[in-house]
């Protein structure tokens, strides 16, 4: 399946390149397109995550009430999810759908001749290789750092549980280590997509606050 997706991506990129003579710009437009496709699912994911955070006091109360009966705790927790209309796995669906595309893009940039030595802007002169910017004689891969910054900012917006605070710092560092040697085209896609995620998260939070302020009766 991934191989077929990779072939389709190459066809799309080459076709788009005939009209947009810069593969970096093509990748950015592709990120916008994918974001548009998964926008409704991501919106539901954000809502599910928000509802899960709101349910944490009730879940904590269930844990305290049934701390000596794990089976009863599991049943009561699932019952609570059902009553509140919350899917505990809802936040994972957009990421699951993204992974085949991500892996296919990895294969596309790693194995296709068309994208080799394809430049983007400034220091990014080969989208099939990691980007390198010399800083004081040291080669720095800028895109993974930008991607990690976007992940950190998004995590700060979404994670409210103090028990998960460490993940805000751990995940961006882990992703830098994983993607440090990935092709700059792939990291560019992931960075742009994360930036769009931040925009959607900000919009979702703004609309939620607006609805809450309208629902709250004015006093005074």
């Amino acid at each position: 399946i991934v191989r077929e997706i990779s072939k389709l991506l190459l066809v799309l990129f080459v076709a788009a390149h005939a009209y947009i003579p810069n593969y970096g710009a093509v990748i950015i437009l592709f990120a916008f397109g994918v974001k548009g496709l998964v926008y409704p699912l991501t919106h539901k994911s954000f809502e599910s995550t928000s509802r899960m955070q709101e349910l944490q006091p009730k879940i904590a109360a269930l844990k305290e009430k049934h701390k000596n009966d794990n089976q009863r705790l599991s049943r009561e927790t699932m019952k609570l999810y059902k009553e509140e209309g919350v899917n505990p796995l809802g936040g994972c669906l957009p990421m699951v759908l993204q992974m085949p595309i991500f892996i296919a893009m990895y294969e596309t940039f790693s194995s296709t001749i068309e994208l080799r030595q394809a430049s983007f802007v400034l220091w990014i002169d080969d989208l099939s290789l990691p980007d390198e910017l010399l800083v004081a004689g040291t080669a720095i891969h800028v895109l993974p750092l930008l991607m990690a910054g976007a992940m950190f900012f998004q995590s700060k917006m979404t994670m409210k549980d103090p028990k998960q605070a460490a993940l805000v710092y751990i995940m961006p560092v882990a992703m830098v280590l994983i993607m440090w040697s990935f092709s700059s085209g792939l990291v560019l896609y992931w960075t742009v997509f994360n930036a769009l995620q931040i925009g959607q998260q900000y919009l979702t939070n703004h609309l939620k606050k607006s609805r809450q302020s309208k629902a709250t009766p004015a006093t005074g």
Side-chain angles (χ1 to χ4, degrees):
I1 295 175
V2 170
R3 188 176 294 110
E4 294 304 316
I5 295 175
S6 178
K7 292 178 181 178
L8 176 60
L9 291 179
L10 180 59
V11 171
L12 289 175
F13 289 168
V14 171
H17 189 258
Y19 301 93
I20 306 171
N22 186 305
Y23 275 113
V26 171
I27 292 169
I28 292 173
L29 288 176
F30 178 73
F32 272 85
V34 173
K35 183 60 195 171
L37 290 175
V38 301
Y39 186 94
L41 290 175
T42 307
H43 180 72
K44 291 183 179 179
S45 170
F46 288 160
E47 288 187 336
S48 177
T49 301
S50 177
R51 291 288 293 126
M52 285 291 294
Q53 292 170 353
E54 293 172 0
L55 290 179
Q56 288 307 307
K58 293 183 179 181
I59 294 174
L62 287 176
K63 289 181 178 179
E64 179 64 25
K65 183 178 180 180
H66 305 293
K67 58 184 177 182
N68 297 321
D69 189 345
N70 290 332
Q71 291 185 351
R72 178 71 181 277
L73 174 60
S74 298
R75 290 198 301 270
E76 292 298 324
T77 302
M78 295 308 297
K79 180 180 178 182
L80 176 64
Y81 290 152
K82 185 176 181 179
E83 290 174 348
E84 298 289 341
V86 175
N87 181 1
L89 300 178
C92 303
L93 184 57
M95 180 62 72
V96 172
L97 293 177
Q98 273 277 79
M99 289 314 297
I101 297 176
F102 184 83
I103 297 172
M105 288 192 69
Y106 175 85
E107 182 173 331
T108 299
F109 281 102
S110 300
S111 60
T112 55
I113 297 175
E114 289 86 350
L115 299 175
R116 291 179 185 176
Q117 298 182 341
S119 62
F120 178 35
V121 293
L122 301 176
W123 72 96
I124 306 175
D125 53 10
D126 191 340
L127 289 167
S128 68
L129 297 175
D131 69 297
E132 288 189 351
L133 179 64
L134 289 178
V135 179
T138 303
I140 301 296
H141 299 180
V142 179
L143 285 176
L145 297 177
L146 292 176
M147 178 273 302
M151 284 192 66
F152 174 79
F153 191 74
Q154 184 187 6
S155 297
K156 291 287 286 185
M157 294 175 67
T158 56
M159 288 189 182
K160 307 299 182 183
D161 187 354
K163 295 180 180 179
Q164 298 180 338
L167 293 176
V168 174
Y169 303 93
I170 293 173
M171 287 303 296
V173 173
M175 289 301 292
V176 167
L177 295 177
I178 292 171
M179 303 184 74
W180 188 255
S181 299
F182 281 14
S183 66
S184 54
L186 179 60
V187 185
L188 174 63
Y189 163 78
W190 200 243
T191 302
V192 172
F193 190 88
N194 276 309
L196 294 174
Q197 287 279 85
I198 292 172
Q200 184 179 0
Q201 181 70 65
Y202 177 81
L203 178 61
T204 300
N205 292 346
H206 177 74
L207 293 176
K208 181 180 178 181
K209 289 179 180 179
S210 178
R211 288 195 299 266
Q212 289 176 343
S213 62
K214 289 180 180 180
T216 302
T219 59

